Structure formats: C-alpha cells, structure tokens
Amino acid sequence: MGIALTIDQDLKGFERFTKNYRKQLPFASSVAINNTAFDIRTALNKGTLGAFDKPTKFTQKAFLVTKSKKNNLVAHTFAKDQASKYIRFGVKGGQRIPKGFELYFGGLSDDGTIPPNSYFYPTSFIKYDKHGNVTRSTLKRISKGIGGNPRGGFFIGTPANNPGKPPGIYRRSREQLFPFFIASTRKPNYQSIFNIEQIAGKVVQRRFNVHFNSAVTKAIATAK
C-alpha cells in the first residue's frame, strides 16, 4: 500500500517555462548582482560615519559601483582614488603617509635641527575644522609668518636658549614662545576600524536572494 505521484499535464508548457528560465537566468543574475552592489555601496558610505571621526562629505560618498553585464557577472563596489588613500588606513591600518601640510613645512627653510622625513604633530594651539583637520586659515597664517616676517613671528627649528624644547614650528610673541607643531620621526599608526568585507558580506546575505528572486520573476513575466 502506498501513494503514487504523477503529472497529468501538458509538459510542453513546463518545457517552455524552463527554457525561458534558462534564457533569462544570466540577465536576472546580473540585475541581482548590480542591485546588491549598490546596496553595499550605501552600507559602506553610511559605515564611514561610524568608523571615522567626523568624516567629510567626500568621504561619506566615497564608494562607487561598476555594474555587471549578463555576459560578465562581476560588479565592483570601490572607493574613489582620492578617498581610497585615506580610507585604506581605516580598513587595513598601518603607518600614515605624510599629509600635504607636513610635506610643505618639511620643504621650508629651518635651522637644520628638523630631522629628515619628520611628521608634524599639532599642539593645543592649533585650531581644527568640524572634520578634525587643521584649519586652512591656521596653515596660511603659519605659512605667511615664516621666513623672516617680523610680524609673523613663526620659525621652524629648535628654540634657542630653551633647553629641552623639541624641534618644531614655533611662534614668538611678546617674549613668549608658543609651540604650534612638534616635529618627530615617529610615524603615526592607524588601527583597522572599517571592516568593509564584513559589512559587504552581511548585505549579500540579506539582499542578494531577494534581488535575484525579484529579477527572475520579472524577467520570466516579461520574456517574449
């Protein structure tokens, strides 16, 4: 005693369905991959807010997408070239490369006491913008005040008659000495704080099947 199962239907309709399914599969796959890649882009751009301290709008919109095609089922979500130079340290960590103002100050004349390849560490006298960067007005003020400008009062080097003072960028004003930057060959290090693979993996788990099922259904429904 048992149960017998059979199909008492016209199989030609089923054959047409499977043929259309196979035909539309590459297109539907490409649509699902692309939609998932854009979801990853959104998640990574939002993720910069939690990973970085006061990221700029440029950093918050750093990630782009190159779409797949049905004959090339590969999409890429990536950071813009300029942004990637900064974001990669949040992803992998490692030693920071010199910033633009450090390269600029390192190329100015000093008293010979600034070590080669120095990094300039800001002090409490430095003003920052809302993104935590040294303000342009501060850098311009220092730049204009260096080079013998008596009204500027800035110099690069080690203060004379001040034993123990480290080399850096100082300003003399009313017989007082104000350190703006301290020069050091110690390289700043970044920690890995932005796990893009983990973020992308969660998006794929949540969204790819949803996009794929929707794309297959639509493709078969509109197939000619």
Side-chain angles (χ1 to χ4, degrees):
M1 189 174 181
I3 298 175
L5 299 177
T6 186
I7 297 177
D8 187 17
Q9 297 288 339
D10 180 4
L11 293 181
K12 290 183 179 180
F14 181 73
E15 290 176 355
R16 287 195 298 270
F17 173 81
T18 55
K19 182 178 180 180
N20 285 336
Y21 183 87
R22 288 194 299 270
K23 182 179 178 181
Q24 298 301 325
L25 189 58
F27 173 76
S29 298
S30 178
V31 171
I33 289 172
N34 290 338
N35 288 341
T36 304
F38 281 106
D39 286 344
I40 291 173
R41 180 189 69 173
T42 299
L44 292 179
N45 282 337
K46 288 183 178 179
T48 61
L49 291 170
F52 300 101
D53 182 25
K54 301 176 183 178
T56 64
K57 292 293 184 182
F58 180 76
T59 301
Q60 295 175 38
K61 297 180 180 180
F63 288 91
L64 302 174
V65 171
T66 55
K67 298 194 295 185
S68 72
K69 298 179 181 179
K70 64 181 182 180
N71 59 349
N72 181 25
L73 297 176
V74 179
H76 291 95
T77 304
F78 62 98
K80 303 173 187 176
D81 286 343
Q82 289 182 329
S84 66
K85 296 177 182 179
Y86 169 66
I87 290 176
R88 68 178 180 178
F89 290 105
V91 175
K92 297 182 178 180
Q95 294 179 338
R96 174 175 70 76
I97 61 175
K99 294 183 177 181
F101 73 85
E102 290 174 318
L103 295 174
Y104 173 74
F105 288 144
L108 297 179
S109 60
D110 58 67
D111 64 358
T113 63
I114 301 293
N117 303 316
S118 285
Y119 291 81
F120 288 87
Y121 289 84
T123 70
S124 58
F125 292 99
I126 291 296
K127 293 183 179 180
Y128 299 90
D129 61 22
K130 63 180 180 180
H131 302 295
N133 299 315
V134 179
T135 61
R136 290 183 177 273
S137 60
T138 298
L139 296 176
K140 287 182 179 179
R141 180 188 175 198
I142 295 173
S143 179
K144 290 181 179 180
I146 289 175
N149 184 343
R151 300 184 64 180
F154 286 93
F155 67 91
I156 303 177
T158 303
N161 302 320
N162 285 271
K165 292 289 185 181
I169 299 177
Y170 291 82
R171 180 171 185 258
R172 290 189 184 276
S173 178
R174 297 179 181 179
E175 298 183 357
Q176 288 186 301
L177 191 64
F178 301 94
F180 278 66
F181 289 91
I182 300 302
S184 174
T185 55
R186 178 173 60 86
K187 295 182 178 181
N189 283 302
Y190 287 117
Q191 293 182 338
S192 178
I193 56 174
F194 192 28
N195 193 333
I196 62 174
E197 293 184 0
Q198 184 180 72
I199 294 172
K202 290 182 178 179
V203 173
V204 171
Q205 290 178 354
R206 291 196 310 264
R207 301 299 299 162
F208 179 78
N209 285 340
V210 175
H211 288 312
F212 180 76
N213 292 336
S214 176
V216 167
T217 301
K218 184 177 181 180
I220 292 176
T222 58
K224 295 181 180 180

